[in-house]
Amino acid sequence: MSAFAYESYLNASLSEQDPEVYDLVQKEKHRQQSSLELIASENFTSKAVMEANGSPLTNKYSEGLPGARFYGGNEYIDVLENLCRKRALEAFSLDPAVWGVNVQPYSGSTANFAALTGLLAPQDRVMGLDLPSGGHLTHGYQTDKKKISSSSIYFQSMPYRVDQVTGLVDYDALEANTHLFRPRLIICGASAYPRDWDYARLRKIADGHTSFLMADMAHISGLVAAKVQNDPFEYCDVVTTTTHKTLRGPRAGLIFFRKAITFSDGESLESKINAAVFPACQGGPHNNTIAGIAVALRQAASPEFKVYAQQVIKNCKHLCDVLSSAPYNYKLATGGSDNHLLLWDLKPLKLTGSKVEKICDLANITLNKNSIVGDKNAVSPGGVRIGTAALTSRGFVEQDFTKVAEFLHAAVQLSLDIQSHCIQQKQQQQAEGGKSGSTVVLLKEFVSAATAPEFEQRIQGLKDQVSEFANSFKMPGY
Ligand code: PLP
């Protein structure tokens, strides 16, 4: 390659080398800055984490573990991975004589599959919180018709659920079913559960069948590090997490394991988990990401992070209070929240989560539709999930969430008006045709009605207000 080609090809900036991708990055940055990010699984990581994540560490192969690699040139990568492991234990106040950690999983899903691979034999029995109850796919999810997740394809799965009235985990039913199913592993933790976990009760249930107990604390790990949630490490054998939710790091996963556990074949849990990550489930670790995790874990052990985590919870409680009290009086699953997320039950309004998600999206409010206890139709869930972790990273406090509640209320009122308009139109058409029929409004009819000028104008008005408000806050890392 000529010197000219080298400079223009390998050393050019992104904007010079690839304006198309550069432009998309700029647009996404602008979208993040000018919208209200309420997706409970997202956060805004720090500049230092992004710098580590975008560093030349991405160039290096390092299959294996520190001191036992399959490639040369790992003298700094070994130090980095050991530093990351040390910080992971420190961030959760764990004794290195009792707990070990693997920091190589590429994501939460691969961390969970590797943990299952290490703990279980193929077709062993697993019980996890069902997806419609707020559990994650990787906790054994399957439907009546299909095994969806590899955790149900390669293992036998029987879910436990939340109580259909209270929305709280039904520990009694779980316990009763363990007597029938005799699981080898019970998984706790969730993607959409607004309450804390009773790990002591779960340990007792697991001990009744010499089952392993694993917590997937992906959503709440930042809150656990800050000691504002119950501590899963007190009772569990294995704890997995993502690193990019409340922990506010880069996108990856971690697996913590108790070092003292050994299997009947004499192999330790530590050795099984490490072998499950590599070579069973993954190849070379993403060292740039491990550097980002190390940075995030150092931050998570700081007093500033504790203040952040406390504020995440205060903001969520405040948003719950505002939405559920006068003048709004909206219904929340379980009546509120102990953590960073709430589930808004839209069924009393006769609205679906998909419709509200759509209008919010058009108005620069980012959240997601979610099943709510009592939903009959999994395809069209009856609520939305809202989280406070990302906006708290932008400096939002309680009074800012009062404003967020106002915007959410406006989006819901708009959704109701669009839906009423659709129903009226249907009734009119039916009257004109001398017919009677269903007035159920399909999502595509609803979306089409939202483009009518009167609604488009109202949506644009809300979007302008939301953008102005969101833009008045700083963005971490930009
Ligand atoms: N575990 C839980 C509880 C989650 O909520 C998620 C993702 O949202 C995951 C695991 C999977 O993480 P990832 O998307 O990094 O694979």
Side-chain angles (χ1 to χ4, degrees), residues 283-453:
H286 295 176
N287 295 303
N288 52 320
T289 308
I290 290 174
I293 300 171
V295 174
L297 288 166
R298 183 167 179 269
Q299 291 172 344
S302 69
E304 290 86 350
F305 190 86
K306 189 167 172 75
V307 173
Y308 161 71
Q310 285 166 339
Q311 191 64 48
V312 167
I313 290 188
K314 279 190 217 163
N315 285 345
C316 193
K317 281 200 188 309
H318 181 74
L319 184 59
C320 286
D321 288 347
V322 177
L323 287 175
S324 63
S325 54
Y328 301 138
N329 299 318
Y330 290 123
K331 187 174 177 199
L332 305 178
T334 78
S337 172
D338 295 330
N339 56 31
H340 64 302
L341 70 85
L342 63 89
L343 297 175
W344 186 351
D345 188 348
L346 298 162
K347 288 194 293 276
L349 304 174
K350 300 196 166 40
L351 270 176
T352 62
S354 327
K355 288 173 185 159
V356 171
E357 180 192 280
K358 185 73 203 170
I359 297 306
C360 283
D361 229 6
L362 293 170
N364 275 19
I365 303 169
T366 318
L367 44 70
N368 66 282
K369 58 181 174 289
N370 213 95
S371 318
I372 298 285
V373 63
D375 273 1
K376 300 276 176 295
N377 183 353
V379 185
S380 186
V384 288
R385 184 184 68 160
I386 293 177
T388 55
L391 291 183
T392 307
S393 291
R394 293 188 71 179
F396 279 54
V397 292
E398 286 95 324
Q399 71 195 46
D400 305 312
F401 273 94
T402 304
K403 192 81 193 150
V404 170
E406 267 174 45
F407 290 135
L408 288 166
H409 169 68
V412 162
Q413 291 306 310
L414 243 163
S415 307
L416 283 169
D417 290 349
I418 296 169
Q419 181 158 277
S420 300
H421 170 83
C422 294
I423 292 171
Q424 275 165 20
Q425 269 194 331
K426 272 178 189 267
Q427 285 169 336
Q428 201 177 330
Q429 281 161 6
Q430 285 167 6
E432 282 166 10
K435 293 185 215 150
S436 61
S438 161
T439 53
V440 170
V441 180
L442 301 176
L443 182 61
K444 63 177 183 206
E445 295 166 339
F446 178 87
V447 171
S448 160
T451 60

Side-chain angles (χ1 to χ4, degrees), residues 116-423:
L116 265 55
T117 303
L119 280 165
L120 306 174
Q123 300 307 328
D124 270 356
R125 295 179 200 150
V126 177
M127 291 184 81
L129 185 65
D130 209 5
L131 186 93
S133 283
H136 191 255
L137 283 164
T138 55
H139 300 177
Y141 185 56
Q142 59 190 15
T143 65
D144 292 345
K145 297 200 178 77
K146 201 169 173 198
K147 291 178 181 289
I148 306 284
S149 161
S150 53
S151 55
S152 64
I153 295 170
Y154 299 112
F155 304 99
Q156 296 294 328
S157 166
M158 177 179 189
Y160 57 94
R161 298 198 165 122
V162 294
D163 180 280
Q164 292 302 293
V165 176
T166 62
L168 300 172
V169 168
D170 190 343
Y171 294 101
D172 293 337
L174 162 62
E175 182 164 18
N177 281 335
T178 59
H179 296 309
L180 301 172
F181 193 61
R182 290 189 287 273
R184 180 83 172 122
L185 171 68
I186 297 174
I187 306 173
C188 55
S191 297
Y193 187 59
R195 298 296 178 179
D196 208 344
W197 289 80
D198 186 347
Y199 300 110
R201 175 93 200 260
L202 286 159
R203 179 77 262 170
K204 233 168 128 195
I205 296 171
D207 284 346
H209 304 278
T210 53
S211 315
F212 290 117
L213 180 61
M214 171 174 131
D216 174 355
M217 60 167 185
H219 263 262
I220 54 167
S221 54
L223 309 180
V224 172
K227 302 198 187 326
V228 291
Q229 292 282 277
N230 294 336
D231 183 0
F233 291 97
E234 262 184 63
Y235 295 100
C236 295
D237 304 303
V238 170
V239 178
T240 61
T241 184
T242 53
T243 47
H244 45 275
K245 298 185 172 83
T246 51
L247 198 57
R248 210 166 55 184
R251 311 193 74 78
L254 302 172
I255 308 174
F256 296 87
F257 44 81
R258 279 191 189 270
K259 282 181 161 174
I261 295 175
T262 50
F263 288 71
S264 51
D265 60 5
E267 194 176 346
S268 68
L269 176 61
E270 173 166 19
S271 149
K272 286 211 191 255
I273 294 282
N274 286 334
V277 175
F278 172 84
C281 297
Q282 292 193 173
H286 295 176
N287 295 303
N288 52 320
T289 308
I290 290 174
I293 300 171
V295 174
L297 288 166
R298 183 167 179 269
Q299 291 172 344
S302 69
E304 290 86 350
F305 190 86
K306 189 167 172 75
V307 173
Y308 161 71
Q310 285 166 339
Q311 191 64 48
V312 167
I313 290 188
K314 279 190 217 163
N315 285 345
C316 193
K317 281 200 188 309
H318 181 74
L319 184 59
C320 286
D321 288 347
V322 177
L323 287 175
S324 63
S325 54
Y328 301 138
N329 299 318
Y330 290 123
K331 187 174 177 199
L332 305 178
T334 78
S337 172
D338 295 330
N339 56 31
H340 64 302
L341 70 85
L342 63 89
L343 297 175
W344 186 351
D345 188 348
L346 298 162
K347 288 194 293 276
L349 304 174
K350 300 196 166 40
L351 270 176
T352 62
S354 327
K355 288 173 185 159
V356 171
E357 180 192 280
K358 185 73 203 170
I359 297 306
C360 283
D361 229 6
L362 293 170
N364 275 19
I365 303 169
T366 318
L367 44 70
N368 66 282
K369 58 181 174 289
N370 213 95
S371 318
I372 298 285
V373 63
D375 273 1
K376 300 276 176 295
N377 183 353
V379 185
S380 186
V384 288
R385 184 184 68 160
I386 293 177
T388 55
L391 291 183
T392 307
S393 291
R394 293 188 71 179
F396 279 54
V397 292
E398 286 95 324
Q399 71 195 46
D400 305 312
F401 273 94
T402 304
K403 192 81 193 150
V404 170
E406 267 174 45
F407 290 135
L408 288 166
H409 169 68
V412 162
Q413 291 306 310
L414 243 163
S415 307
L416 283 169
D417 290 349
I418 296 169
Q419 181 158 277
S420 300
H421 170 83
C422 294
I423 292 171

